[in-house]
Amino acid sequence: IVVLLSSLQGDITQKGYEKKRAKLLACYIPHLSSNADPSPSPEAPGPSTSASRHHRTHRSGGARDERYRSDIHTEAVQAALAKHKEEKMALPMPTKRRSAFVQSPIDTCTPPDTSSASEDEGSLRRKAALSAVLAQSLQSPDYWINRSVQSSSTSSSASSTLSHGEPKTQPQPQLQPAASVLADVLAHTRIENSVPPDVTSTTHQDRGSRVDLPPAVRGMSRGQSRSSMLDTADGVPVNSRVSTKIQQLLNTLKRPKRPPLTEFFLDDAEEIVEVPQPDPNTPKPEGRQIIPVKGEPLGVVSNWPPALQAALARWGATQAKSPALTALDITGKPLYTLTYGKLWSRSLKLAYTLLNKLGTKTEPVLQPGDRVALVYPNSDPGMFWVAFYGCLLAEVIPVPIEVPLSRQDAGSQQIGFLLGSCGVSLALTSEVCLKGLPKTPNGEIIQFKGWPRMKWVVTDTKYLTKPSKDWQPHIPTANTDTAYIEYKASKEGTVMGVAVSKISMLTHCQALTQACNYCEGETLVNVLDCKKDMGLWHGVLTSVMNRIHTITVPYAVMKACPMSWVQRVHIHKARVALVKCRDLHWAMMAHKDQRDTNLSSIRMLIVADGANPWSVSSCDAFLNVFQSHGLKPEVICPCATSPEALTVAIRRPGARGAPLPARAILSMGGLSHSVIRVNTEDKNSALTVQDVGHIMPGALMCIVKPDGPPQLCKTDEIGEIVINSRAGGTMYYGLPGVTKNTFEVIPVNQAGAPIGEIPFTRTGLLGFVGPGSLVFVVGKIEGLLMVSGRRHNADDLVATALAVEPVKTVYRGRIAVFSVTVFYDERIVIVAEQRPDASEEDSFQWMSRVLQAIDSIHQVGLYCLALVPANTLPKTPLGGIHICETKQNFLEGNLHPCNILMCPHTCVTNLPKPRQKQPVDVGPASMLVGNLVAGKRIAQATGRELGVVEDQDLIRKHQFLSEALQWRAQTDPDHVLYVLLNAKGVAVCTATCAQLHKRAEKITATLMERGGLNTGDNVVLLYPPGIDLIAAFYGCLYAGVIPVTVRPPHPQNLAATLPTVRMIIDVSKAACILTTQPLMRILRSREAAASVNVKTWPTIIDTDDLPRKRPPHIYKPPTAEMLAYLDFSVSTTGMLTGVKMSHAAVSTLCRSIKLQCELYSSRQIAICLDPYCGLGFVLWCLSSIYSGHQSILIPPLELESSLPLWLSTLSQYKIRDTFCSYSVMELCTKGLGTQTEILKARGLNLSCVRSCVVIAEERPRLALTQSFSKLFKDLGLSPRAVSTAFGSRVSLAICLQGTAGPDPSTVYVDMKSLRHDRVRLVERGAPQSLPLMESGTILPGVRVIIVNPETRGPLGDSHLGEIWVNSPHTASGYYTIYGEEGLQADHFNTRLSFGEPHTLWARTGYLGFIKRTELLDASGDRHDALFVVGSLDETLELRGLRYHPIDIETSVSRAHRSIAESAVFTWTNLLVVVAELSGSEQEALDLVPLVTNVVLEEHHLIVGVVVIVDPGVIPINSRGEKQRMHLRDSFLADQLDPIYVAYNM
């Protein structure tokens, strides 16, 4: 096997260092050898160059945890970052509201507007001095195109603070590569397949001049975007901060993604994602099959004890005064020394007490073989030793665990799982520890989360009983019974117990003694946790075996006095020290104060985590500092261990002066494909690994493939190390299933045949065997991240992230790397704790550089990088980070980051190819024929006939509503038509036919006198919902003028509501305004003047106290085609449209509703709707006059002060038919859902309700109507009662569920097909299914057909298309100032392109489909159901597919419990998600990854921007529909005051 060997000596000397450094950096700094100075120019103070940094390795201060530091690695990272600096281009920094995180002092917080791009874009960015702050050099599209050639990864775009070596005045060298590289790119990569959003790439001008172009002027989106960049049709100035940032984001995304995508499906019947085809250049292993490696034989020693307890008994008797253990106090001074005599006698007492004193003679609590938990703090090793040996002597099985600190301790539940699987019910602890445990109010120890019931036993000496004279412990020869159980946490976080048998324990001690050459009476300094792993094996077991004096230095002492272990070695002349890289590092940081320490006594410095990628540099740096203090280079002994196999390998101390072992310098790229390749080309992506010595005596080792069957690897392949040895663990206690896969592995050869009978144990370590059978470990299975078929090691990523200087931003040891599965692949997430003094700029800078470094060195994109406030990540008991708990918090939205950067655009490379719309070669006619041939009928449906009007009287009254009212006032003057209720449910106003007629006459007389109006003038009616509005409407009809009803402005919110009123008044050219006195005062008030010009109102007439006058005559229109009224409404896309309603349309509409709902004079209906436009206005003002039924009017605003008003009215008046809006239904569901019992007790009964119709112009909200029905079922509401209506601007009423006809049906459609404009019905509960409810029965006289909006040809059954309608009550056109006839003809009088060319249709602008159901309608035919999917204007065209915002919003609202409401829109092909946060502001950033995940998973879209806002920010109109375009305009104009804006890279 070839491994590049570089001698360690070369690394240590300055000369060797410089040589290696030059070699590493050569490919980045072209003129390193020549006299061009690579350091930054004096006027541009960047961070100091690497050479000078080398001399400052030992920086003072709090950056304690530099154990991860490798100067070589740091330089590689710096060089990689320098490579990223080509060109200035700002990356959008997230915007954060200042109050959001009170984490840093206010002055270090960047004010919201000083983000990197908020200054005037026009000003030239590059100032003369490249100060470090401004050197946020971010790359350009060209840079990315260059990159794609090197097939490197999807990097973030981020910044580097190293300035370029070359003087800026010679742009030539920069230019040549660009041109040639571009040519290469065009030859090698299929750019069109890999550009993320559809954004044009910029033109390649001379680089030099490019630099200073303000980003706002660069190229913009092509094609479908509604407006060009500089003129965002919504009147939003382009240089607003948000648009600038989005522009930066687009510029960052203008580049090919890394793996060119394979040809993906065109038909969605295929699976969504295909695994990209394997790259032919992937390195493959080429060596022969590995041969198992044998350790040296275990020596035979004559006086070896038959069991470990026997050794203790021997020393206790013969060497009673010999010191066994010295414990230190918190200051690092010796606290007590336990002799072997004391250890023996106390352990004996404890064993006796456990077996004889806990229960009665007949019923002892403990039997030999029972499991007992040992709960002792690290700072009290003596108590732990006694407890451990006491258990061994009593033949009970000790299970050492950490001291639980609180009920909700990170991982306490998992420890509970361990105790449960081991059947532990008794815990031993010390008195001090017991006092510290959390208690219930009555003094008992609390029940920890997930723990079994525990009995606690205190083992302090004063509570122990001296054994009786005749009692002797039973010490059998070591056998295969379990001796102790050591806990281990798996990658998923479950904690399992590894059982170690008595013979394994003994053999392991023997093997360690042989490997480490332990001698009787030596001194050992142990800095590790003595409850498990190396700390237990060397520091408690093997040390007693060899009568060694152990000095324990607990974690708490190390934190207080990092030099303490070195001092102990010096004072006690210790021969062996047992440490981790962290301890080496801490000692190095603190060594300045210690001049006289001497480490020459050490013969073995055992580095427990020597298998970690950063251990090399820790060992080197430590040696560098302490060699002058007598430390010999050959005593450093890294080792590799695993909870299952115990010690796997350990380096034996070398002979004095012999050459040191070699290093392997491996290619990261090769490693990610599990292949060993010596790194020769790209020095940046190299991993330097040191060996961990030879395997243990008496062991046999193989390397097998980590996944799938345990097949032997080839010699140049990385695999999992498996061990066969008598000195390993035997099983996971109590978990036979998992045990088999780990402890009983039989490796197989290439052919799949087992290589022998002997079982091996998986160690969980990944590595290979180097020359001379040396073992090299490159990572752990649990830290493995599998991304797009390549393996990355979490520890390597941590090392790279920490090499990104300067680390002013994060704490070194507090960083977690894990992967989450999103959209069929693993995605890498890095979470780090941010220092409180780091500014926003620093953090963002650091994050963006980490992205680049990881991209360059590991060729992998990060999905998410999150910074959380200091000390908020869940900790493991010894202060590390609890990775699985952190991951859990991330996925549940409980991490509460204070900074986050998501890069889905960069790292999600397995999205299907965007759909290319095929040019329509097939004409609509052939499609029709095709459908007929296929047996599909044309998708059309018809309501029943309107019928002929018989009665002469009726004909007269039906022609015009104004005449109908007069006729009713004569024939039935006292019949009550209207009852208006207030919030208390009291009828504040009623109107009989005669009263209404007289009030209308008064208004007519006033209009004729004061208005100066001509017939046909428009008059605006500005009234709150009530009877005045109705009277004013008929007053206008009587006067021959055209009423326009307008919602009055909201007195508390004039600035937002008054401009709409003003706009309608201006657009309709109203000659006069009728209103009430209070509203008239508002219109003329000073507050109103702030938002509109109040001097130019038309004549305002208040109709409150009018004189009793009758008009000279009542106007009668000459024909029914004359206009009756104008209906103005703001659509959800923010368009204000007015439609013209003729008298004929009004009367046929009223007749149609009368037939459908069976309305006549003796009926009562309740209306809780806004009466200003659409069907709401028709039901409120017109229907009763026509049909004569009584309408109980409930203004929806009254519900805000009295929620049950509507429902109690239904119950009180025994109403059969009621009409409401979605907002009313939602108010009741949310507000009264929990109060049904109270309402029932008040006697509220809804069993009288036969139909409750929601009036809407949208897809039926199935979830809302269903939850309403379920909630109020207890109050007698029939599940069949709730239904919906559907109307649009062109035809105010198309569907309305009446009394006749079948119940509305529900179908489930496949969302993937829907995006392709196809309808595929699926079963309920199918994945990606969307439930849709029929929009109500089609009204009498209405015909509906489904049409392809592009070809205008009719579509077949169950095809998605635009709903076109033909009916006598369609509006007669838009009322527009400029008379846009084209638009009008297009929407109102459209013909099909073939089929029946003579019928005139109106286009509703909604997509839907018709499905023939099995149900029968009133006439006995099969019922055709109309399903509305959504408004065509609202749909989002993304990736060539059609999305409905509501579907994405439904997913988003499910993503986190604190999302109250959400809305989505697009801006230049970026999907923007706005989410309202109902929880606390610290949860704001939790939403960003969850929203991104859910949209990617369920809709296969990458979110471009996530905006978190306060509740109530998303504007909603009176019908309860979201005004997404208003929201979009406010966002772009920077008016939302968001809590946080995250720009996904």
Side-chain angles (χ1 to χ4, degrees), residues 1004-1005 1008 1110-1114:
T1004 308
M1008 287 175 168
R1110 292 188 60 187
H1113 63 275
I1114 289 178

Side-chain angles (χ1 to χ4, degrees), residues 208-489:
S209 68
R210 260 310 293 285
V211 173
D212 294 333
L213 270 183
V217 196
R218 306 209 183 136
M220 206 39 216
S221 72
R222 125 170 44 96
Q224 303 134 344
S225 134
R226 291 197 183 156
S227 54
S228 80
M229 166 65 192
L230 290 167
D231 167 22
T232 51
D234 322 309
V236 177
V238 169
N239 63 0
S240 79
R241 188 165 100 230
V242 171
S243 2
T244 308
K245 290 201 164 176
I246 292 188
Q247 185 52 38
Q248 292 171 338
L249 179 53
L250 286 170
N251 289 346
T252 327
L253 299 177
K254 276 181 210 169
R255 60 168 189 270
K257 282 193 191 168
R258 189 175 63 254
L261 295 167
T262 48
E263 293 296 330
F264 279 98
F265 68 98
L266 286 170
D267 190 78
D268 58 328
E270 301 273 335
E271 228 351 274
I272 302 164
V273 175
E274 225 170 73
V275 180
Q277 294 307 306
D279 177 2
N281 304 326
T282 305
K284 298 206 170 37
E286 295 150 10
R288 55 178 171 74
Q289 183 175 302
I290 190 169
I291 299 164
V293 180
K294 250 189 150 106
E296 60 195 84
L298 256 179
V300 182
V301 185
S302 53
N303 61 350
W304 204 250
L308 189 58
Q309 304 92 298
L312 177 60
R314 172 177 155 197
W315 304 132
T318 62
Q319 299 276 352
K321 295 266 188 295
S322 175
L325 164 75
T326 298
L328 305 184
D329 67 9
I330 193 74
T331 62
K333 304 274 184 301
L335 186 60
Y336 60 79
T337 295
L338 196 61
T339 60
Y340 275 96
K342 278 274 184 349
L343 178 59
W344 166 245
S345 64
R346 286 186 193 173
S347 307
L348 213 52
K349 274 187 188 174
L350 177 59
Y352 180 73
T353 309
L354 289 179
L355 291 177
N356 300 298
K357 295 294 175 192
L358 291 185
T360 59
K361 271 227 164 74
T362 50
E363 285 186 27
V365 172
L366 279 180
Q367 303 277 7
D370 285 351
R371 275 77 52 214
V372 175
L374 268 49
V375 184
Y376 294 92
N378 267 3
S379 52
D380 194 357
M383 292 291 285
F384 172 76
W385 279 44
V386 169
F388 192 89
Y389 281 104
C391 287
L392 291 186
L393 288 169
E395 291 193 279
V396 295
I397 301 173
V399 185
I401 57 170
E402 306 303 338
V403 179
L405 301 174
S406 69
R407 166 133 180 62
Q408 293 294 344
D409 220 5
S412 88
Q413 204 164 351
Q414 280 83 9
I415 293 283
F417 173 77
L418 165 79
L419 297 174
S421 64
C422 295
V424 176
S425 57
L426 189 80
L428 306 186
T429 187
S430 66
E431 193 167 24
V432 179
C433 184
L434 192 75
K435 284 197 177 121
L437 290 177
K439 311 273 192 304
T440 58
N442 56 11
E444 291 171 19
I445 290 167
I446 62 167
Q447 178 67 30
F448 293 105
K449 191 173 159 197
W451 282 36
R453 280 240 163 272
M454 296 296 271
K455 275 185 70 170
W456 294 84
V457 175
V458 174
T459 63
D460 293 57
T461 319
K462 56 183 174 187
Y463 298 112
L464 302 181
T465 317
K466 203 170 177 196
S468 54
K469 290 275 185 293
D470 57 347
W471 186 82
Q472 275 302 319
H474 174 53
I475 303 183
T477 301
N479 56 14
T480 54
D481 297 346
T482 301
Y484 69 93
I485 293 174
E486 186 171 319
Y487 78 83
K488 134 198 206 187

Side-chain angles (χ1 to χ4, degrees), residues 1050-1112:
H1050 196 293
Q1052 270 76 54
N1053 194 2
L1054 285 180
T1057 53
L1058 197 57
T1060 311
V1061 175
R1062 178 83 225 195
M1063 197 156 119
I1064 299 178
I1065 289 171
D1066 293 347
V1067 168
S1068 64
K1069 296 186 177 157
C1072 157
I1073 300 172
L1074 294 181
T1075 186
T1076 61
Q1077 271 172 5
L1079 279 168
M1080 180 159 131
R1081 282 198 288 278
I1082 285 176
L1083 289 183
R1084 297 202 162 125
S1085 70
R1086 200 188 269 144
E1087 292 77 34
S1091 39
V1092 298
N1093 183 352
V1094 295
K1095 297 199 171 66
T1096 55
W1097 291 122
T1099 318
I1100 302 179
I1101 300 175
D1102 88 75
T1103 57
D1104 284 359
D1105 308 309
L1106 294 178
R1108 283 197 178 165
K1109 277 192 180 166
R1110 292 188 60 187

Side-chain angles (χ1 to χ4, degrees), residues 44-319:
S48 62
T49 49
S50 325
S52 65
R53 188 180 308 110
H54 175 69
H55 300 298
R56 294 186 295 114
T57 319
H58 327 300
R59 292 215 310 260
S60 62
R64 271 254 177 92
D65 217 345
E66 270 199 358
R67 65 172 185 274
Y68 299 107
R69 163 112 177 230
S70 138
D71 276 334
I72 299 292
H73 197 111
T74 307
E75 303 221 337
V77 170
Q78 294 299 346
L81 291 174
K83 190 171 131 191
H84 275 255
K85 82 162 293 299
E86 245 60 317
E87 170 172 337
K88 312 282 292 160
M89 183 160 129
L91 186 85
M93 225 178 91
T95 326
K96 184 187 291 185
R97 189 191 289 166
R98 193 189 257 175
S99 68
F101 305 93
V102 195
Q103 194 207 346
S104 45
I106 204 82
D107 49 7
T108 60
C109 236
T110 350
D113 317 11
T114 57
S115 59
S116 53
S118 62
E119 62 233 56
D120 176 9
E121 290 294 341
S123 75
L124 289 187
R125 267 283 168 51
R126 172 81 68 62
K127 305 287 184 284
L130 276 175
S131 67
V133 183
L134 272 180
Q136 298 192 346
S137 48
L138 294 149
Q139 328 67 284
S140 71
D142 331 20
Y143 160 75
W144 281 107
I145 292 177
N146 302 351
R147 262 311 275 304
S148 69
V149 177
Q150 304 153 14
S151 84
S152 104
S153 94
T154 58
S155 159
S156 73
S157 22
S159 53
S160 144
T161 44
L162 274 179
S163 86
H164 223 341
E166 301 146 13
K168 284 280 175 267
T169 47
Q170 324 161 327
Q172 293 83 1
Q174 290 180 319
L175 269 172
Q176 290 148 357
S180 60
V181 163
L182 190 62
D184 284 355
V185 169
L186 299 175
H188 293 302
T189 51
R190 306 216 304 282
I191 291 185
E192 77 284 355
N193 281 355
S194 47
V195 177
D198 170 20
V199 184
T200 51
S201 41
T202 50
T203 49
H204 292 274
Q205 310 158 340
D206 165 340
R207 283 258 180 113
S209 68
R210 260 310 293 285
V211 173
D212 294 333
L213 270 183
V217 196
R218 306 209 183 136
M220 206 39 216
S221 72
R222 125 170 44 96
Q224 303 134 344
S225 134
R226 291 197 183 156
S227 54
S228 80
M229 166 65 192
L230 290 167
D231 167 22
T232 51
D234 322 309
V236 177
V238 169
N239 63 0
S240 79
R241 188 165 100 230
V242 171
S243 2
T244 308
K245 290 201 164 176
I246 292 188
Q247 185 52 38
Q248 292 171 338
L249 179 53
L250 286 170
N251 289 346
T252 327
L253 299 177
K254 276 181 210 169
R255 60 168 189 270
K257 282 193 191 168
R258 189 175 63 254
L261 295 167
T262 48
E263 293 296 330
F264 279 98
F265 68 98
L266 286 170
D267 190 78
D268 58 328
E270 301 273 335
E271 228 351 274
I272 302 164
V273 175
E274 225 170 73
V275 180
Q277 294 307 306
D279 177 2
N281 304 326
T282 305
K284 298 206 170 37
E286 295 150 10
R288 55 178 171 74
Q289 183 175 302
I290 190 169
I291 299 164
V293 180
K294 250 189 150 106
E296 60 195 84
L298 256 179
V300 182
V301 185
S302 53
N303 61 350
W304 204 250
L308 189 58
Q309 304 92 298
L312 177 60
R314 172 177 155 197
W315 304 132
T318 62
Q319 299 276 352

Side-chain angles (χ1 to χ4, degrees), residues 502-549:
K502 294 175 180 169
I503 190 78
S504 295
M505 175 167 75
L506 188 68
T507 315
H508 188 217
C509 288
Q510 189 182 348
L512 283 176
T513 303
Q514 184 173 329
C516 302
N517 202 2
Y518 279 125
C519 308
E520 198 181 313
E522 282 189 304
T523 307
L524 175 146
V525 172
N526 175 22
V527 194
L528 306 181
D529 176 7
C530 60
K531 287 197 283 296
K532 54 184 284 224
D533 212 76
M534 303 279 288
L536 174 67
W537 309 332
H538 288 260
V540 181
L541 307 179
T542 312
S543 59
V544 166
M545 178 70 89
N546 293 291
R547 192 174 65 79
I548 285 170
H549 177 197

